[in-house]
Amino acid sequence: NTVTHHHHHSQVSLSHVFSPAPFYVSNYTKHCFNWLSNKLLHEHFHFSCQFISAVLTNSPADPRLNPGMPLSSSGTNSYQQGCIRVTLEDSELWKSFHTIGTEMIITKHGRRMFPQCSISLSGLQPLANYVVMVDIVPADNVKYKLAVRHSSKEQWEVAGKSEPQPPCRTYIHPDSPAVGSHWMKQSLSFLKMKLTNNTLDQHGHIILHSMHRYYPRFHVIQADSPHTVCWGSFQTFSFPETVFTAVTAYQNPKVAIKRHVFPMHCLALHYSFYFGLST
DNA sequence: TCTACTATCACATTTGAAGCGA
DNA sequence: ATCGCTTCAAATGTGATAGTAG
């Protein structure tokens, strides 16, 4: 509890170690690092997300960056359909990126998403088997280009009709199939899902077009295996704040802050100071 | 020249296997 | 044998950069 308490109040002191310095990290500090990363990885991630949210939220919101899909003002981050309720994890982080225009890197060999797709489920039948999967579908039917920087303040502008979409691929959560009680026990992460712009991809990654807008859809299917999916039991959920523009390189430098704001070794060093360990 | 895309780099982070002692 | 833990190295993932294609 002491560690956690300190953890959540360490923003100010951490700012002193943000600047890259030639830290010497001893083996003993590495012990500390390993222990802390095991114990606090989960908390660190969420705290880091909060921090990034705070940084991004300081930027003035510009609705023009996301003309296709305005956020509803209701502020709810869960969606109920029938009995099943799906809640988007890290909703505040998604919204923070959304206000400045979320971008997702796509590469030839596949890139993970940040923020990651992570949801929690409720309302499932505890003993029934379910398959949970994600696909990513176009948010509109146009493609975009970057506005000429010195002639306009708007970053994106429409550049014609969208390219024909390659066959839609799905990413099946690796726990599938599993019983409802398993899915509801803790949140599900689609961390390892990868996005590619390689239309000939052989690895099963999700194929997208650069400079197009998409959003992820989450499917919850009552089925005993991915091969015996019954179409009637298909339920689909999506969240407006998860809309993103696929890019091959970040266009808005703000969206690239990710780890650089709060790298792990800063956490380790911070705690090594806190515990009075030499570095 | 300009924009979108790609290969490469340095290094952060994860993963997995081996070692060790209680 | 098993467990918890450390140690080490290989594998993987990342954004920045510089270069390429059209």
Side-chain angles (χ1 to χ4, degrees), chain A residues 11-273:
Chain A
Q11 294 184 49
V12 175
S13 51
L14 272 168
S15 64
H16 296 302
V17 293
F18 278 175
S19 58
F23 290 112
Y24 171 68
V25 181
S26 69
N27 281 336
Y28 201 40
T29 309
K30 286 179 183 172
H31 290 217
C32 184
F33 166 81
N34 285 331
W35 180 80
L36 285 164
S37 61
N38 287 333
K39 296 288 183 191
L40 298 172
L41 192 60
H42 192 68
E43 286 180 35
H44 165 237
F45 179 76
H46 284 283
F47 179 63
S48 193
C49 288
Q50 288 172 26
F51 189 88
I52 292 172
S53 280
V55 172
L56 294 181
T57 305
N58 285 334
S59 313
D62 188 352
R64 294 173 304 176
L65 295 178
N66 293 285
M69 213 163 185
L71 268 182
S72 66
S73 57
S74 65
T76 180
N77 64 334
S78 65
Y79 185 25
Q80 187 159 13
Q81 181 178 323
C83 306
I84 301 178
R85 174 178 285 270
V86 175
T87 303
L88 179 68
E89 299 284 301
D90 304 312
S91 176
E92 289 307 311
L93 181 65
W94 278 103
K95 286 174 183 168
S96 299
F97 276 98
H98 186 74
T99 58
I100 63 168
T102 310
E103 297 172 15
M104 292 288 174
I105 294 283
I106 58 177
T107 67
K108 185 176 174 183
H109 298 294
R111 200 75 140 195
R112 294 181 177 180
M113 296 173 71
F114 189 90
Q116 59 173 280
C117 287
S118 187
I119 57 172
S120 56
L121 295 173
S122 62
L124 305 178
Q125 298 172 46
L127 299 180
N129 270 317
Y130 294 88
V131 172
V132 184
M133 58 174 70
V134 181
D135 62 13
I136 294 185
V137 294
D140 51 36
N141 55 3
V142 297
K143 61 183 174 186
Y144 294 84
K145 69 173 183 181
L146 280 175
V148 179
R149 291 173 205 278
H150 49 267
S151 70
S152 168
K153 289 181 179 176
E154 286 197 51
Q155 191 172 9
W156 298 104
E157 56 188 39
V158 174
K161 200 173 181 308
S162 60
E163 303 291 329
Q165 195 57 28
C168 187
R169 288 180 173 173
T170 57
Y171 177 85
I172 299 173
H173 191 281
D175 289 0
S176 302
V179 292
S181 59
H182 172 82
W183 292 118
M184 293 188 288
K185 197 162 52 187
Q186 59 186 7
S187 63
L188 311 49
S189 168
F190 297 90
L191 176 73
K192 297 197 173 179
M193 178 171 70
K194 285 186 172 181
L195 313 181
T196 183
N197 59 345
N198 181 7
T199 51
L200 303 176
D201 175 76
Q202 299 291 306
H203 303 284
H205 299 146
I206 292 181
I207 301 171
L208 302 178
H209 280 128
S210 184
M211 316 307 274
H212 288 57
R213 283 204 178 138
Y214 299 91
Y215 64 95
R217 294 190 307 183
F218 302 92
H219 306 283
V220 181
I221 307 122
Q222 189 177 330
D224 290 329
S225 101
H227 307 292
T228 61
V229 167
C230 166
W231 290 91
S233 58
F234 219 98
Q235 294 201 59
T236 300
F237 304 83
S238 61
F239 304 90
E241 62 266 41
T242 56
V243 162
F244 62 88
T245 308
V247 296
T248 54
Y250 286 127
Q251 305 303 323
N252 182 345
K254 283 178 189 165
V255 306
I257 68 172
K258 289 192 182 182
R259 299 155 198 274
H260 287 273
V261 168
F262 198 26
M264 289 295 281
H265 73 267
C266 285
L267 185 75
L269 286 164
H270 177 75
Y271 280 113
S272 63
F273 283 122

